């Protein structure tokens, strides 16, 4: 082990294993996770060369090989608990996306949730056994977050009792679904249903895409890969053009909406039924975001204690770069953010579970808040995580730019989380719409509960900020949110008073509405982090997490000091105090940085980073990695004889 | 042409061609640029498939082919003016890096600047004719920005009159030089010179790496590619390990420093001689940063008028996404930033030229300011541009993630500018050191000139901010910088008063020092933009540029409102006014957005983006692009028969 990193691990101020167990959700969960990871990491079939050495086709090939092995092993090992399967799958792909993600995560669940008994009997077992491999085809080339704009049509033909599916325009071509390009032989296709001369809006249809024997596309199906992307290059995101494709009536998912033989359409009992899955996926995205940031912080912080630079004292060794305040200021708040987002991920998951139970009992009253909170937190966390991964990458200097660091791919694979499952700006505006509704309720004399209580009129005036107290800082975030939300609502009102329409007023205030949502989400995150601390039994864990929470809150204030000052929560002198305590905290957390990344317990295989190695032997590993890189297969590249030699020999 | 984008070009508020000429530096320059671009774009040898379809080796092959053709054509066309060569080269590589960058941009200039007459005679012509292809090997695996830490040694052996070069450790392996991996057969190697038992510090040596006939590495030379990177994958960034490599004494670049036959070392007359090239390159980086952002804005803004989303009025078409205030707020300030950075690029270049002339006349007095300003502005602009390109990419939603958009590669190829030629945080601290020196001078009663005049004691108290006046806004940036610089200097002083050492005090204030430098740079950029407006002859151009300058300044204040409030330049009410005027400006500049990108005059070939096409026919082009993507070479990928079919047939 590199002596610098070894020293970092001597005598941490807390019990690393206790924090690991806390993050995992119990000692037994930690052990189970390690078992499953070991099953993957000790399986010779799962050994591979660095993925960045492969072409796109080679990466896809590699991913499919792992998919097949994974499915085989899941059955062989008898894994049936969804949590086990999910941990095993994450270990197989080291957290990267895979071509079966939509088959496992959307196609199978959609069958379970929206198929009739007959449909389940027909499709589920073959799909579970991968004879049917499905995907979920929703977005189109010209249509993303605004679902009602989708153009694909499904026309019911009562004579043959079939739907005829078509892609009427170029913009209607299905675009992006994972696994659609080369892997899937079926898709759930979202299309505008036309029956009896009327459009009944979006419905879901199971469409067979490829022959089950030859895997060749069926007639009328034009399908393929959408080409290389920033990241996600293990996955064949695909396009699909439908030309008069006929499917039987019974291929429409008809648990809720129905088309009868004569073409009569029966509406679903509620259109809120889709909310559940959406919220569930957003909760997953928040948790995943925290895991990605944990990886990036682990890499950057470990490298920052191995890397030495500049000479402060003649003759003395160059300092570890983590000893520079600027480096601490880049990385330690992100480390604190990782913990904050871990807890907010748990929070959204719990909220989802609680409200699902209410919904099952027929109570839809909390759905709006759940929807608004999960939308906003999805946007809030992914924006920060994606930018944070880049901060970590840049904090590693030149070597962060090498694929060996693992950071480029961590970035490109997480970047889409700002766009998919609801584009972030649109998500923030959905939260804003909810917040504006809440303000309206208060105006009508209704008292609010939960995270928006701060909008109630009786809300207390707080004493001035005490930057040493986490509770006082939470209060500051609350007051800022309250001011921002109220202020933008007043802005909307004054636009209306000037004679603007609702639509105009709303569009004129979009930027401020997003800011208000962000301040609301920020408050929820800080508050949840602080509340979670109270439940931590182990005092050492609680102490270190309190410091991280403190750091997270102080850093948030310095990054948005204008907001806090505008809201009257903070003055210049107090900001000065905040900055001062922040600096002290950075310096005291410096020594705990490596143990705090160790607590994430991410194995070297999972981390896939030369810079983030647990043993800190960075430079030898980097050299070894480079020597096997594709351009080094020969000493002289073929282009030399083809182009450079003739140039050198030519008389110019 | 797409009707939406056509409409955007109807009746712009200014003469697009006049702004193009202004940006180019004259109508004749625009014409020359277009001629040279046409020479490339009409040359069938320069046609190519999309680069993202190629493997790393394929991309390198493609780049070398273009290099050879380019060198041939430069000579055939008789291009000798460095500006022509630079424009032609940029056109050939569409602004991407190429394997000969260090040969053309470092190796040849180093010969010209640091070689003796004899050395020039020996090396220059073969290098100019590409028989010798060089690179510049400075950074090592363990050593980047801190040059004195370099470990490579050159030991003078007077018996044979040779230097013996060695790589004593793994961290001393040369790492990163462009073209070093496969292309170059020579390198200028920076090494610690040992002669007569003494280390004389860094000197530059010409080392032959490969046989001139076979291109095979010479004995003792271990050379290769450092492997795949986030971007820059056309370039063979390389490593070099030297094992007792002997070169003649005459291969040390000896125009300034010298080693005589007996090993006597003669120091160079000044160690500031290296400043010039460094500043020159930083000026280039600033200009290049603006060009990169121009491309990103062109792509995102054009796509934002073609893309339509959501329904605001039932029955009406979905609005163009640029009509949303949030989209305007993402893109239009970046458009303004592009113009601001164009002018600051010119400013640094001019400053370099003026001061070079003084230096040639033996006057080194302004070197410190030049060095500090160029370092800070390099960091300031590249940070903002790199983040801005990502903002543009994300503003394009899902399609921004496709390589077809051109944005992923624009990002990955520009991202290293934050790291190379001086890591940005280190650069900002160099500026800070200069600013602190200036404060010290003022304390000693010396009056400052130039951009730091605001530190002089007699500096006027300004009237309150008038957010409608650009001059008043420049004043606000000035006052903010003044407050921040003074404040951090007081912070340092109070640390010293508490008994901290200089070094401790400095390290305790690093974060605030960077902030102070940023505020100084921000002021210089706003001030320069405002000053440049005064020189614009064409009134239409001046009006539109004034609006952009206004937008740039207002947006800067909202993004750093906490600083301005802390400095006492801004209160809550004034901030409210600033935000309001900013919103109005966004809405009025909305109509000029496409013409303002047209004024950059970047051809479709140069832009290499399906989303940024001049004709706006985005969707058909995207579909056509995808259909030729590598995974679509066959309908059924080979991995199906290898892995999935056996899985499907197996009895699990």
């Amino acid at each position: 082990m590199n002596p610098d990193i070894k020293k970092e691990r001597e005598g941490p101020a807390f019990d690393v294993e206790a924090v690991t167990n806390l993050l995992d959700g119990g000692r037994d969960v930690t052990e189970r996770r390690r078992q499953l990871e070991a099953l993957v990491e000790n399986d010779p079939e799962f050994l591979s060369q660095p993925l960045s050495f492969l072409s796109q086709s080679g990466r896809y090939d590699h991913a499919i090989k792992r998919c097949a092995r994974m499915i085989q092993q899941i059955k062989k090992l008898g894994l049936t608990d969804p949590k086990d399967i999910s941990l095993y799958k994450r270990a197989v792909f080291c957290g990267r996306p895979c071509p079966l993600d939509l088959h496992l995560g959307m196609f199978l669940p959609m069958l379970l949730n929206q198929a009739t008994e007959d449909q389940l009997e027909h499709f589920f077992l073959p799909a579970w056994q991968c004879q049917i491999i499905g995907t979920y085809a929703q977005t189109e080339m010209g249509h993303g977050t605004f679902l009602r704009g989708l153009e694909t049509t499904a026309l019911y033909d009562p004579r043959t009792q079939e739907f005829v599916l078509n892609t009427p325009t170029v913009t209607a071509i299905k675009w992006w679904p994972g696994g659609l390009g080369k892997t899937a032989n079926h898709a759930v296709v979202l299309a505008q249903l036309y029956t009896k001369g009327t459009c009944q809006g979006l419905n879901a249809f199971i469409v067979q895409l490829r022959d089950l024997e030859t895997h060749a596309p069926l007639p009328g199906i034009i399908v393929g890969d959408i080409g290389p992307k920033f990241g996600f290059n293990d996955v064949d995101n695909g396009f699909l053009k439908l030309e008069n494709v006929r499917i039987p009536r019974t291929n429409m998912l008809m648990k809720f909406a129905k088309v009868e033989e004569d073409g009569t359409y029966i509406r679903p009992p509620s259109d809120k039924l889709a909310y559940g899955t959406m919220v569930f996926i957003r909760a997953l995205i928040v948790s995943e975001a925290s895991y990605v940031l944990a990886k990036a912080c682990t890499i950057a912080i470990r490298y920052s204690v191995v890397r030495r630079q500049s000479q402060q004292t003649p003759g003395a060794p160059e300092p570890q770069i983590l000893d520079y305040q600027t480096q601490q200021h880049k990385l330690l708040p992100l480390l604190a953010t990782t913990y904050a987002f871990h807890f907010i991920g748990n929070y959204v998951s719990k909220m989802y579970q609680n409200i699902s139970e209410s919904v099952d009992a027929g109570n839809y009253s909390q759905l709006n808040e759940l929807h608004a909170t999960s939308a906003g937190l999805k946007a809030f966390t992914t924006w920060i995580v994606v930018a944070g991964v880049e901060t970590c990458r840049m904090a590693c200097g030149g070597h962060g730019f090498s694929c060996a660091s693992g950071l480029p791919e961590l970035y490109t694979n997480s970047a889409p989380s700002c766009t998919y499952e609801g584009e972030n700006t649109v998500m923030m505006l959905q939260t804003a719409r909810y917040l504006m509704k809440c303000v309206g309720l208060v105006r009508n004399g209704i008292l609010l509960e939960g995270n928006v209580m701060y909008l109630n009129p009786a809300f207390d005036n707080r004493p001035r900020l005490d930057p040493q107290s986490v509770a006082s800082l939470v209060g500051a975030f609350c007051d800022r949110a309250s001011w921002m939300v109220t202020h933008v609502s007043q802005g909307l009102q004054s636009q209306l008073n000037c004679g603007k329409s609702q639509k105009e007023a709303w569009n004129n205030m979009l930027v401020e509405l997003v800011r208000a949502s962000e301040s609301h989400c920020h408050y929820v995150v800080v508050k949840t982090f602080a509340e979670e601390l109270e439940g931590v039994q182990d005092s050492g864990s609680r102490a270190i997490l309190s410091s991280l929470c403190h750091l997270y809150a102080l850093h948030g204030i310095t990054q948005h000091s204008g907001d806090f000052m505008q809201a009257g929560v903070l003055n210049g002198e107090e900001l000065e105090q905040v900055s001062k305590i922040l600096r002290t905290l950075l310096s005291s957390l410096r020594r705990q940085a490596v143990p705090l990344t160790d607590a994430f317990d991410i194995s070297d295989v999972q981390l896939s980073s030369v810079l983030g190695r647990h043993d800190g032997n960075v430079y030898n590993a980097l050299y070894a990695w480079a020597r096997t890189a594709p351009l080094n297969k020969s000493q002289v590249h073929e282009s030399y004889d083809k182009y450079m030699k003739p140039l050198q020999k030519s008389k110019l």
Side-chain angles (χ1 to χ4, degrees), chain A:
Chain A
M1 192 175 292
N2 171 295
D4 285 330
I5 207 165
K6 188 159 177 249
K7 213 172 149 202
E8 299 288 332
R9 296 194 170 108
E10 285 164 7
F14 62 99
D15 178 350
V16 172
E17 181 73 11
V19 173
T20 302
N21 295 338
L22 183 77
L23 291 173
D24 279 324
R27 201 200 298 186
D28 50 329
V29 186
T30 300
E31 271 170 26
R32 183 62 175 158
R33 176 177 56 73
R34 287 181 184 152
Q35 272 173 9
L36 291 164
E37 286 173 2
L39 283 173
V40 171
E41 295 177 10
N42 298 329
D43 184 338
E45 290 290 315
F46 284 133
L47 284 175
S48 79
Q49 60 170 314
L51 293 189
S52 52
F53 291 179
L54 302 175
S55 68
Q56 199 197 353
S57 178
R59 289 193 68 141
Y60 174 68
D61 193 277
H62 172 271
I64 289 292
K65 183 179 174 189
R66 281 176 111 77
C67 283
R69 174 78 185 170
M70 171 180 75
I71 298 287
Q72 196 188 46
Q73 289 299 99
I74 284 174
K75 311 228 158 149
K76 201 164 165 184
L77 297 164
L79 303 180
T80 50
D81 182 339
K83 280 182 192 157
D84 278 353
I85 294 178
S86 150
L87 282 171
Y88 187 77
K89 176 170 172 294
R90 189 172 82 177
V92 169
F93 287 97
C94 302
R96 290 186 311 271
C98 99
L100 291 188
D101 279 346
L102 266 72
H103 175 67
L104 300 170
M106 286 295 290
F107 189 80
L108 289 173
M110 281 206 80
L111 288 180
L112 290 172
N113 297 331
Q114 299 192 36
T116 62
E117 292 289 319
D118 286 351
Q119 290 174 328
L120 266 183
E121 199 162 317
H122 186 73
F123 291 108
F124 193 78
L125 196 62
W128 182 241
Q129 292 177 333
C130 283
Q131 275 108 31
I132 287 180
I133 302 172
T135 182
Y136 176 68
Q138 176 182 295
T139 51
E140 297 172 357
M141 204 194 268
H143 311 279
T145 300
F146 178 64
L147 286 190
R148 277 179 294 148
L150 295 177
E151 295 177 78
T152 303
T153 55
L155 175 68
Y156 183 63
D157 178 353
R159 287 174 309 153
T160 58
Q161 300 209 11
E162 288 172 319
F163 295 103
V164 189
L165 279 91
N166 267 300
T167 301
T169 61
V170 173
T171 46
I173 296 171
K174 292 290 177 187
W175 206 264
W176 280 114
L180 173 61
K182 310 309 277 186
T183 313
N185 52 28
H186 281 70
V188 167
V189 172
L190 245 68
Q192 304 285 358
L193 166 64
Y194 287 86
T195 180
K196 293 191 164 181
T198 308
C199 179
Q200 298 291 357
L202 289 178
N203 281 273
F205 304 86
I206 299 179
V207 180
Q208 184 175 347
L209 307 175
R210 290 173 179 268
D211 183 275
L212 295 187
E213 277 303 310
T214 65
H215 205 61
L218 297 179
I221 302 279
I222 295 144
V223 69
D225 184 82
I226 61 165
K229 294 145 294 182
F230 198 22
F232 265 63
N233 285 313
D234 300 316
V235 178
D236 53 322
N237 296 85
F239 63 80
L240 172 64
K241 192 159 175 278
L242 299 156
E243 294 181 346
N244 289 313
V245 174
R246 289 186 164 260
I247 58 170
R249 185 184 66 90
T250 49
N251 273 25
M252 175 171 145
L253 287 174
M254 293 215 261
K255 184 165 175 187
F256 302 117
K258 287 184 186 58
V259 170
E260 296 185 335
E261 293 187 4
D262 69 347
T264 304
Y265 181 70
I266 299 170
R267 316 206 141 270
S270 158
D271 34 302
K272 289 186 177 167
L273 289 160
Y275 274 33
T277 325
M278 227 156 62
V279 172
F280 177 69
I281 289 175
R282 286 181 193 151
L284 280 183
I285 292 176
V286 175
S287 300
E288 188 56 32
S290 164
Y291 184 64
V292 166
L293 195 53
K295 283 185 166 179
C297 286
T298 301
I299 297 168
I301 287 173
R302 286 183 183 166
Y303 178 61
S304 295
V305 302
V306 171
R307 180 76 174 184
R308 290 176 168 275
Q309 187 176 288
S310 296
Q311 202 166 33
Q312 296 212 315
T313 317
E318 300 181 40
Q320 293 165 290
I321 59 175
L322 195 59
D323 285 339
Y324 292 103
Q325 191 188 53
T326 34
Q327 191 78 349
Q328 294 163 12
H329 189 251
K330 286 173 192 173
L331 300 179
L332 301 187
L334 287 174
L335 185 63
T337 302
T338 309
Y339 282 88
F341 288 1
H342 173 84
F343 291 116
I344 204 72
N346 285 355
Y347 170 83
V348 181
S349 300
K350 265 182 249 162
M351 194 176 174
Y352 166 72
Q353 280 159 21
N354 293 341
I355 296 182
S356 296
E357 285 164 21
S358 305
V359 168
D360 289 345
N363 173 5
Y364 296 149
S365 67
Q366 292 171 286
L367 267 181
N368 278 337
E369 186 184 350
L370 175 65
H371 184 245
T373 305
S374 66
L377 288 174
K378 179 268 187 187
F380 184 79
T381 54
T382 55
W383 265 333
I384 287 168
V385 164
V386 167
V389 173
E390 255 316 66
T391 301
C392 288
R393 192 187 65 70
M394 289 204 189
C396 294
H399 294 322
F401 194 68
S402 167
C403 291
S405 72
L407 291 164
E409 182 146 333
L410 210 50
Y411 183 71
T412 57
N413 280 342
S414 61
S417 61
C418 296
T419 307
Y420 61 43
E421 299 298 331
E423 196 279 328
N424 277 0
T425 302
V426 178
M427 291 299 95
M428 279 298 184
L429 289 171
Q430 289 187 3
T431 305
R433 201 170 284 280
Y434 169 74
L435 293 171
M436 293 306 108
K437 271 188 198 155
C438 290
V439 174
L441 291 175
V442 171
R443 263 195 218 119
N444 292 328
I446 294 165
L447 276 189
L448 304 171
E449 293 186 12
N451 290 327
V452 286
M453 273 176 66
Y454 60 72
L455 294 172
N456 289 335
F459 208 69
D460 289 343
N461 254 340
R462 239 181 278 278
R464 291 304 300 177
L465 183 75
D466 171 8
Q468 294 285 15
S469 149
V470 169
S472 172
L473 293 169
V474 173
F477 277 90
C478 181
D479 290 349
R480 168 201 179 210
S482 172
W483 189 88
M484 303 278 287
V485 172
T486 309
H487 186 71
V488 70
S489 141
Q490 287 160 357
L492 282 172
Q493 195 54 51
S494 76
Q495 296 258 344
L496 294 174
N497 296 346
C498 296
K500 295 268 197 292
S501 71
Q502 282 278 1
K503 194 188 97 178
E504 286 168 326
W506 184 260
N507 200 20
N508 283 340
M509 296 302 285
L510 289 180
V511 170
E512 300 297 318
L513 285 160
V514 169
R515 276 181 73 203
S517 290
E518 285 183 316
S519 69
H520 172 75
C521 294
H522 210 157
Y523 160 61
V524 174
V525 172
V526 174
K527 173 170 158 274
T528 304
F529 197 171
E531 283 171 0
E532 286 291 324
L533 294 176
E534 291 165 22
V536 176
Q537 299 297 318
D538 175 60
S539 65
S541 304
R542 195 166 55 246
I544 189 76
L545 291 173
S546 296
S547 294
L548 289 169
C549 183
H550 197 187
L551 175 63
Y552 180 75
L554 292 172
H555 183 256
I557 291 176
T558 61
Q559 296 304 296
H560 301 274
S561 55
D563 286 3
F564 287 89
M565 290 172 105
Q566 205 179 5
V569 184
L570 187 77
N571 61 33
E573 233 166 90
E574 288 160 343
L575 177 54
E576 191 58 31
Q577 280 306 307
V578 166
S579 302
K580 213 166 168 181
I581 299 168
L582 174 64
R583 291 198 292 268
T584 314
L585 252 182
L586 287 178
S587 142
S588 75
L589 280 167
R590 153 71 185 86
R591 279 281 132 212
Q592 307 307 319
V594 168
L596 280 167
T597 65
D598 288 347
F600 298 137
D601 194 32
I602 304 170
S603 73
D604 280 354
V605 172
Q606 294 303 312
L607 206 53
S608 314
S609 167
V610 162
L611 301 189
R613 293 167 65 94
H614 187 265
D615 68 8
N617 289 331
V618 165
Y619 296 113
N620 285 312
L622 185 57
Y623 187 44
W625 182 89
R627 298 216 63 172
T628 59
L631 279 186
N632 295 327
K633 276 185 188 149
S634 62
Q635 288 282 10
V636 178
H637 193 265
E638 54 185 1
S639 60
Y640 173 72
D641 287 312
K642 283 195 289 182
Y643 312 116
M644 288 314 283
K645 194 153 191 171
L647 177 75
Q648 291 170 336
K649 299 291 170 196
S650 71
K651 293 275 165 257
L652 289 165

